[in-house]
């Protein structure tokens, strides 16, 4: 049984247990890993995430009244019960804000969401940088839109992306630039998705990892430094200030010469990251399209160095696992996601998976750091109706 089918079963069982009802349908949406293009999505830049075969499944039953009942198989998630009028900013907290908030933003976008009973189950690790949050939002959004009678097409999916972003920004209160929601709703299996974040234009880029004997390994450091609180907002503020000083709407439009024009060394460094990261994304896309995916390793390494030194969002755990993975034969490795903990990725030859796993565990052990967890990931499809 595929991971998606397993999660679907668990969601259906949870729907029965919690709310004593059978679903009208089950929808899934994937987590993601970002190959390259980090901290550029809010700067109008380009990124290249890939959807995973790990998903959140939502089993959903339409109700005849205005009640909304939500439950999750995550043991830390308290069930939520409310009405269609209680789903907005300030009205829901915790995990339910992601799901209820998405229903709220769909309503704001003019979709007549019906009352619903819903249960979700996910094998995307929560809070590990693989975007369990957007996978939850996307599964909720697609299910509710279809049960509201909308036809699933590209136009609807673009609307759902914006609704999911709005839910996370305004109801959860988390900054998110839109990469995660876009890949969850528009990815194609076997490909990464090049996203032009300023207008959400997307192009699938076929990866050919398996054909090249390669795999992507995710290394979850299993730490999240509290320092991270507020740092995302600070980086965004730095970028906004740099763009303002340069008279640019998007910092991604800065040139290497613009970097030199900034007086503040910190803003220079932030801008240097954004400019160089966009260049690396373009180079990776060129190589992959030319069938040369095995050559992208040094660009992953350079991305890590830029995030560590210019953007200052790495952490000792991330630096240690990236270095250990390379020493054990990875072709390239870098931190992914917001930073200050969370996960790294390594591009490895399939045959090296066990050695890389051992090396990252040993390197953390030697330094008294939390033992990391590794998993190899493959590219999966976008959100869809399963049954
Ligand atoms: P990431 O998106 O990288 O996994 P986030 O902090 O953005 O990390 O989102 C994780 C949060 O999303 C969890 O703490 C939880 O509140 C919510 N969440 C995601 N998936 C589920 C789920 N299946 N059940 C309950 N809550 C979930
Ligand atoms: Mg998230």
């Amino acid at each position: 049984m595929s991971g998606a089918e397993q999660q679907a079963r668990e969601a259906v069982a949870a729907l029965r247990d919690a709310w004593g009802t059978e679903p009208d349908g089950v929808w899934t949406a994937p987590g993601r890993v970002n190959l390259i293009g980090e901290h550029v999505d809010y700067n109008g830049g380009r990124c290249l995430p890939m959807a995973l075969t790990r998903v959140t499944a939502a089993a959903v039953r339409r109700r005849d009244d205005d009640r909304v009942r939500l439950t999750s198989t995550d043991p830390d998630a308290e069930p939520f019960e409310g009405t269609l009028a209680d789903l907005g900013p300030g009205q829901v907290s915790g995990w339910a804000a992601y799901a209820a908030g998405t229903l709220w933003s769909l309503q704001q976008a003019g979709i007549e969401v019906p009352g619903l009973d819903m249960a979700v189950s996910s094998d995307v690790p929560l809070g590990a940088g693989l975007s369990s949050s957007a996978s939850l939002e996307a599964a909720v959004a697609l299910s509710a839109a279809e049960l509201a009678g909308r036809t699933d097409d590209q136009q609807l999916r673009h609307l759902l992306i914006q609704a999911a972003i709005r839910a996370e920004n305004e109801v959860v209160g988390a900054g998110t630039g839109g990469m995660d929601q876009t890949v969850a709703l528009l990815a194609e299996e076997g490909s990464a998705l090049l996203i032009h974040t300023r207008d959400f234009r997307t192009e699938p880029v076929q990866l050919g990892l398996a054909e090249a004997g390669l795999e992507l390994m995710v290394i979850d450091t299993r730490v999240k430094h509290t320092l991270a609180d507020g740092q995302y907002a600070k980086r965004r503020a730095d970028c906004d200030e740099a763009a303002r000083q340069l008279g640019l709407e998007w910092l991604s439009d800065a040139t290497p010469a613009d970097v030199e024009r900034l007086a503040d060394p910190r803003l220079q460094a932030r801008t240097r990251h954004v400019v160089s990261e966009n260049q690396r994304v373009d180079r990776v896309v060129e190589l992959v399209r030319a069938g040369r995916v095995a050559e992208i390793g040094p660009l992953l390494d350079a991305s890590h160095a830029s995030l560590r030194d210019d953007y200052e969002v790495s952490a000792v755990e991330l630096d240690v696992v990236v270095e250990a993975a390379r020493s054990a034969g990875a072709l390239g490795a870098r931190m992914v996601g917001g930073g200050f903990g969370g996960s790294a990725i390594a591009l490895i030859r399939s045959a090296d998976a066990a050695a890389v796993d051992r090396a990252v565990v040993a390197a953390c052990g030697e330094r008294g750091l939390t033992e990391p967890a590794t998993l190899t990931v493959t590219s999966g499809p976008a959100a869809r109706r399963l049954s």
Side-chain angles (χ1 to χ4, degrees):
M1 195 184 322
S2 76
E5 282 161 13
Q6 178 67 32
Q7 294 314 309
R9 275 191 193 207
E10 290 181 19
V12 171
L15 186 74
R16 265 180 214 136
D17 271 9
W19 312 126
T21 188
E22 294 298 314
D24 292 318
V26 182
W27 288 260
T28 63
R32 63 97 188 93
V33 68
N34 188 21
L35 217 50
I36 196 152
E38 211 65 74
H39 283 284
V40 294
D41 64 344
Y42 50 87
N43 284 311
R46 298 173 288 287
C47 54
L48 190 67
M50 148 186 137
L52 305 180
T53 54
R54 289 176 175 251
V55 299
T56 300
V60 193
R61 169 78 172 218
R62 193 191 156 109
R63 297 177 58 97
D64 298 328
D65 58 16
D66 67 349
R67 293 192 63 71
V68 173
R69 301 194 295 180
L70 309 169
T71 192
S72 167
T73 56
D74 176 38
D76 295 333
E78 290 287 323
F80 169 87
E81 293 190 52
T83 72
L84 287 167
D86 317 319
L87 309 176
Q91 296 178 293
V92 195
S93 60
W95 83 276
Y98 294 88
T102 299
L103 299 174
W104 172 81
S105 57
L106 290 177
Q107 293 174 318
Q108 301 302 305
I111 293 190
E112 288 184 21
V113 176
L116 300 168
D117 287 335
M118 179 180 310
V120 301
S121 182
S122 183
D123 63 357
V124 184
L126 270 51
L130 299 180
S131 198
S132 67
S133 60
S135 76
L136 172 57
E137 292 152 11
V140 170
L142 189 60
S143 65
E146 285 198 40
L147 290 175
R150 293 300 179 107
T151 306
D152 181 7
D153 57 18
Q154 285 299 103
Q155 196 190 350
L156 179 73
R157 285 184 178 237
H158 279 279
L159 184 152
L160 301 184
I161 290 165
Q162 295 306 324
I165 295 170
R166 189 166 179 200
E168 194 152 338
N169 286 334
E170 296 182 30
V171 185
V172 177
T176 176
M179 166 174 69
D180 304 349
Q181 294 79 7
T182 304
V183 66
L185 282 149
L186 297 177
E188 292 182 17
E189 193 166 8
S191 293
L193 193 69
L194 175 62
I195 305 175
H196 301 266
T197 61
R198 76 184 56 180
D199 55 7
F200 292 94
R201 222 163 20 91
T202 62
E203 303 168 49
V205 179
Q206 204 155 13
L207 280 174
L209 282 175
E211 295 84 338
L214 301 176
E215 279 177 14
L216 263 189
M217 178 181 272
V218 174
I219 307 158
D220 179 4
T221 64
R222 299 203 288 192
V223 297
K224 191 82 208 168
H225 295 293
T226 47
L227 176 72
D229 301 343
Q231 291 295 326
Y232 183 86
K234 281 194 181 144
R235 294 301 177 280
R236 284 191 80 139
D238 281 351
C239 290
D240 289 347
E241 178 56 21
R244 194 191 63 76
Q245 289 186 15
L246 294 170
L248 297 171
E249 185 185 354
W250 298 106
L251 193 56
S252 283
D253 289 336
T255 61
D258 285 333
V259 175
E260 307 305 321
R261 286 173 48 214
L262 291 162
D264 181 339
R266 191 180 78 233
L267 297 186
Q268 275 195 348
R270 305 299 187 241
T271 306
R272 191 158 53 233
H273 168 72
V274 171
V275 171
S276 63
E277 188 75 353
N278 273 306
Q279 290 170 342
R280 284 185 288 271
V281 172
D282 294 344
R283 186 70 190 127
V284 165
V285 169
E286 276 170 29
L287 285 170
V288 171
R289 286 202 168 130
R292 293 164 62 190
V293 67
E295 293 171 48
I296 69 171
L299 291 154
L300 302 183
D301 294 343
S303 173
H304 185 78
S306 178
L307 288 159
R308 182 191 60 209
D309 302 335
D310 281 339
Y311 221 65
E312 296 183 275
V313 291
S314 192
V316 58
E317 291 84 357
L318 289 165
D319 295 341
V320 165
V321 298
V322 159
E323 187 51 46
R326 285 183 204 136
S327 305
L331 304 177
R334 69 178 199 88
M335 60 156 283
V336 292
F340 306 104
S343 296
I345 55 168
L347 179 68
I348 60 170
R349 293 183 198 85
S350 303
D352 291 337
V356 173
D357 173 77
R358 275 197 304 276
V360 298
V361 168
C364 288
E366 278 163 24
R367 289 168 183 76
L369 304 173
T370 304
E371 184 172 313
T374 66
L375 59 132
T376 53
V377 293
T378 48
S379 154
R384 63 198 168 125
R385 186 173 191 154
L386 216 61
S387 62

